């Protein structure tokens, strides 16, 4: 089965750093994705981790520990446009993605 | 180009209507997906097509009928829907090679069933 947990909401200040944690229990785990979704829009791909460690992509970084069933998304130098929902999704066999409930991040001036 | 297009953007239909949602991608992807997303909830997988064959049906009611006419197109035929089927319907595609398989989403069709 699949079980993915992430916080519901986080608030941070412009220019700060925010870390969104995600824990998962996925049969046949085959990778962890992070997507950003602005209200009323489609999810857009941010990052993919399949091996343990940190992947850095500009202001966004993602970390995975397979043994702990844990990932985080790190957003640095927060900008107002980063206010959105951030979806953690685990991939199992058959290209099946299961999404967590999403974390709404509110960036304040 | 990582564009997936969907039409229509908005759809209002009665419970006795028959309508279709369309999705198109020209990235050469061989896997395509339908998701349903209710407000403030994550996307929920409905169907997966791999090389134009249905590979996953997440126990979706038969009033939703998917079709993959070719590798670029994916349709979702709707018939006798219920008001609770009102949601954002998202199409996605991925390479289908089995490696990474990043899914790219279309903008969605916002469906209202009256």
């Amino acid at each position: 089965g699949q079980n993915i947990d992430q916080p519901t909401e986080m608030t941070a200040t412009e220019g700060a750093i925010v870390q969104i944690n995600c824990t998962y229990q996925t049969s046949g785990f085959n990778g962890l994705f992070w997507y950003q979704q602005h209200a009323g829009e489609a999810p857009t791909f941010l990052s993919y981790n399949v091996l343990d460690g940190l992947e850095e992509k500009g202001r966004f970084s993602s970390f995975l520990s397979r043994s702990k069933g844990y990932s985080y998304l790190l957003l640095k130098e927060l900008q107002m446009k980063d206010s959105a929902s951030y979806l953690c999704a685990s991939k199992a066999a058959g290209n099946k993605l299961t999404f967590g409930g999403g974390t709404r991040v509110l960036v304040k001036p | 180009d990582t564009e997936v297009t969907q039409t229509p953007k908005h759809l209002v239909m009665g419970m006795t209507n028959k309508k279709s949602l369309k999705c198109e991608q020209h990235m050469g992807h061989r896997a395509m997906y339908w998701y349903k997303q209710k407000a403030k909830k994550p996307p929920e997988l409905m169907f997966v097509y791999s090389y134009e064959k249905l590979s996953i049906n997440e126990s979706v009611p038969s009033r939703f009928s998917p079709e993959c006419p070719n590798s670029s197109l994916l349709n979702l035929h709707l018939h006798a829907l219920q008001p609770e089927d009102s949601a954002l319907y998202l199409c996605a595609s991925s390479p289908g090679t089995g490696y990474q398989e990043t899914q790219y989403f279309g903008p969605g069709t916002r469906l209202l069933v009256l």
Side-chain angles (χ1 to χ4, degrees):
Chain A
Q2 324 285 356
N3 189 30
I4 302 174
D5 288 314
Q6 52 181 126
T8 307
E9 201 167 282
M10 302 180 77
T11 302
T13 306
E14 197 174 12
I17 297 174
V18 71
Q19 178 175 313
I20 307 169
N21 297 323
C22 170
T23 58
Y24 64 89
Q25 293 173 314
T26 301
S27 301
F29 177 78
N30 195 18
L32 195 291
F33 288 86
W34 284 96
Y35 282 83
Q36 179 192 61
Q37 187 174 27
H38 284 99
E41 297 182 12
T44 55
F45 168 72
L46 289 179
S47 70
Y48 171 73
N49 296 70
V50 66
L51 301 176
D52 286 357
L54 187 68
E55 296 277 344
E56 296 187 81
K57 215 186 265 189
R59 294 189 299 112
F60 293 1
S61 303
S62 57
F63 172 83
L64 178 68
S65 169
R66 293 178 68 125
S67 61
K68 294 181 180 176
Y70 167 70
S71 173
Y72 68 72
L73 180 70
L74 195 69
L75 287 64
K76 293 181 261 189
E77 300 168 20
L78 279 173
Q79 301 175 9
M80 298 300 291
K81 66 178 182 180
D82 297 330
S83 292
S85 282
Y86 292 85
L87 301 165
C88 171
S90 71
K91 179 170 167 292
N95 296 338
K96 185 173 172 178
L97 268 191
T98 302
F99 286 86
T103 299
R104 276 196 306 281
V105 171
L106 177 62
V107 180
K108 293 186 172 178
Chain B
D1 181 14
T2 55
E3 188 177 27
V4 177
T5 59
Q6 290 186 243
T7 54
K9 288 187 178 178
H10 301 274
L11 180 62
V12 180
M13 60 187 290
M15 289 188 284
T16 58
N17 292 157
K18 280 186 182 179
K19 297 286 185 183
S20 296
L21 310 185
K22 296 186 183 303
C23 174
E24 191 166 4
Q25 56 87 14
H26 294 288
M27 295 179 277
H29 287 175
R30 303 308 297 273
M32 296 186 78
Y33 312 78
W34 280 115
Y35 288 85
K36 173 182 176 180
Q37 186 175 26
K38 302 283 270 185
K40 297 189 178 181
K41 298 288 185 184
E44 293 180 2
L45 182 66
M46 299 173 73
F47 302 104
V48 179
Y49 271 84
S50 181
Y51 289 78
E52 294 100 71
K53 290 192 182 344
L54 183 65
S55 59
I56 294 178
N57 176 341
E58 290 288 280
S59 303
V60 179
S62 60
R63 57 185 185 269
F64 295 91
S65 175
E67 178 197 19
C68 190
N70 60 55
S71 60
S72 300
L73 293 174
L74 185 67
N75 299 322
L76 186 63
H77 303 298
L78 314 173
H79 175 52
L81 294 195
Q82 304 296 311
E84 59 264 29
D85 297 322
S86 298
L88 180 67
Y89 288 84
L90 294 162
C91 173
S93 71
S94 68
T97 59
Y99 173 73
Q100 185 166 336
E101 289 300 320
T102 298
Q103 293 183 24
Y104 296 95
F105 286 82
T109 294
R110 195 162 296 280
L111 174 67
L112 177 62
V113 182
L114 299 176

